[in-house]
Amino acid sequence: MNRFNGVVKLHVVGGYSKFNWFILPWLIVLSSFAINLIISGFLNNGKDLYTGGMVSIFFYMLVAVMVAVNTTFPFALGFNIRRTDYFLGTSLVVGLICLGDAALLWLLSIIENNLTDYWWAGLHFFHLPYLNDGNLAVQFGVYFLAMLHFCFLAFVVISVFRRFGAFGLYSIFGAVGAVFSILTLLATQLNWWGAIFNWLGQQSAFGLCLWLTPLTILYALAAFLLLRRSTV
Amino acid sequence: MSLLIDDSSPIFVQIAERIENDIIEGLLPEETQVPSTNQFASFYQINPATAAKGVNLLVDQGILYKKRGIGMFVTEGARDKLMEKRRERFFEQYVITMVNEAKKLGITIEQLTEMIRKGGNA
Amino acid sequence: MNRVLEINRLTKSYGEAVALNNISFSLEEGKIYGLLGRNGAGKTTLMHIITAQLFATSGEVKVFGENPYENDRVLSQVCFIKESQKYPEFYRIKDVLVISKDIFPNWDAEYALQLVHDFNLPINRKIKKLSRGMLSAVGIIIGLASRAPLTFFDEPYLGLDAVARTIFYDRLLEDYAEHPRTVVLSTHLIDEVSKLLEHVIVIDNGKMLVNEDAETLRGQAITITGPAAKVEEFSRGKKIIQREGFGGLVSVTVLGNLSLPEQKQAQVTGLELAPVSLQQLIVRLTTDNNERKAA
């Protein structure tokens, strides 16, 4: 158990790690927010501005998880940490960060929507139509599940890299690309597109996020199995 | 004598010889305690087990003895015993070698004896 | 004696290339071992497999009697300081020490700080910005302060100056005396550490070459120099590991002790006998004859 703590610590030790996980993403989101706010203030043309700039944090986390795993995994292995402990500890850290980020996004969207009437400037930055449909709990679920999906997507991609190297990663991308091409072709041939868009149209954002969750679990499982066979 | 251990013969033999020399030269009088294995190890920067082997070699020969819980001590009569052993070895180690070298250089036994006499007076 | 490590017919190959070829040996508790051999002989690969960071192609590795793979009972008792240890970008020396406390069950934080002081390391500096010597010192500190029952140092003193190397030997012997454990020093620079070793394992081209007590090894080879015919006659029937000639003189290194009569006979015949140091012995054993002729 002690060594599991070690894994958690190796992700958040020192000023830089904390800065990278907790400060930098919000610095980016909030500075984007500030610029958007100024623009919408100047425009002041009675129309609302829909930017949704908060999605940048999802892409930030995608990159941050890849960078973190790529550097901390060989370090941990070198310090004789079990791959299982590394996976569990890393998943916990990533999960908690997703929870925290989702909570902050959710709070900001409440402030935006319910308390400040879109920052008194008609700026839709955190609270967007469709994405924020449903009650407050559902809105929180959307942020959390979507972010978790992004993070574990990053986790599995970098695990492929750790296990099979750059060539393995390209091969997998190629294979996934090929599968999608075939599916697209099939859908066109069989006239499925209408039905697909129809189905997508019926889903709420939360519904889609729920559909993403089995995928997220699949990513986590794949990342675990890949790391179990990874070497230095 | 150099403090450095060289790598040319087993180190435990060299350690035993160092202790023997110290006993012969009176630096380690009889019934005094010799340094511990770990002290030897860190002083010469050698493996403690090797140092212990050197010390034990002398214990086996009755030069050192162990006081339980305290350490190793020089046995009474150790110095005489060592002198005797060294005298025996002197012939093999120095005389034979010297005579061989002298033969190689064409020095006769008479000349050699003369040289030794001179050396003794110097 | 308890065996802390047992390796049985271990082979590691990468396609056609064989990195380790059918290696078997064991390590006993509480000794300082030398894992010696030239660069690329397979030493680092071997230690990677022992710590389950790499996987063997065939054969068996048992650490403290168990398979080390994903085995925390075993892995937490082992510390492998590798020359190529990777550290995350932003880690400072300080951060690594903080993490080590949670990773190594026997970690002595106070001792680690004292060693940082002894090696005069800038504790707030990023690992990435350290010189090669400082990086080696960080490894040494982790290896000593972790007090793991089985500790591997891979090329521990790369880039260290003479003073720092002496500090390393001093501290290692001191701490080893107070907290006996099994230490493996892996290096191609044999000279300096040879005195610290109790037992020596030599690997050459992925094969086990020597597995012997250091003291036994030290007296095990002797170089005989003299006129060619006399040397040939004297060394007949002995295992010759090296032969060099210039002019009418030949110099032959043979394995095995010479008996006293043999030594006397050599002296009488006018042959010169010279002891062979551990370093020289291993260099001679691991230098391919053809390679030497070409050079």
Side-chain angles (χ1 to χ4, degrees), chain A residues 3 9-10 80 83-84 228, chain C residues 52 69-70 72 91 103:
Chain A
R3 287 157 62 82
K9 200 167 279 180
L10 72 83
N80 278 3
R83 293 161 175 88
T84 309
R228 287 270 293 188
Chain C
Y69 176 64
E70 291 297 87
D72 207 38
Y91 275 17
I103 290 180

Side-chain angles (χ1 to χ4, degrees), chain C residues 97-157:
Chain C
L97 299 185
V98 168
I99 294 168
S100 299
K101 194 177 162 196
D102 273 344
I103 290 180
F104 299 107
N106 301 333
W107 182 257
D108 186 335
E110 212 173 298
Y111 182 50
L113 281 182
Q114 188 208 314
L115 289 169
V116 167
H117 176 80
D118 292 345
F119 282 106
N120 208 3
L121 289 181
I123 195 161
N124 287 316
R125 194 176 296 175
K126 280 189 205 164
I127 301 273
K128 214 178 76 178
K129 299 209 164 139
L130 298 180
S131 69
R132 180 64 245 188
M134 285 174 171
L135 196 58
S136 294
V138 171
I140 287 169
I141 292 170
I142 295 164
L144 289 177
S146 64
R147 300 240 165 87
L150 177 56
T151 306
F152 294 92
F153 287 101
D154 188 13
E155 302 288 359
Y157 39 66

Side-chain angles (χ1 to χ4, degrees), chain A residues 175-190 192-193:
Chain A
V176 169
V179 167
F180 267 93
S181 307
I182 292 167
L183 287 180
T184 311
L185 211 67
L186 267 180
T188 311
Q189 286 290 319
L190 300 171
W192 283 352
W193 286 118

Side-chain angles (χ1 to χ4, degrees), chain C residues 210-262:
Chain C
V210 176
N211 180 7
E212 190 67 78
D213 237 39
E215 289 294 75
T216 313
L217 220 48
R218 253 183 274 270
Q220 213 182 48
I222 201 155
T223 300
I224 305 154
T225 310
K230 282 185 183 171
V231 172
E232 291 305 333
E233 197 193 322
F234 187 81
S235 59
R236 190 167 299 140
K238 294 190 168 57
K239 189 171 189 314
I240 296 172
I241 55 172
Q242 198 205 23
R243 186 194 304 270
E244 257 169 14
F246 39 94
L249 278 183
V250 166
S251 159
V252 161
T253 305
V254 296
L255 272 186
N257 282 314
L258 292 185
S259 63
L260 264 175
E262 276 182 318

Side-chain angles (χ1 to χ4, degrees), chain C residues 64 179 227 248:
Chain C
F64 301 109
H179 306 269

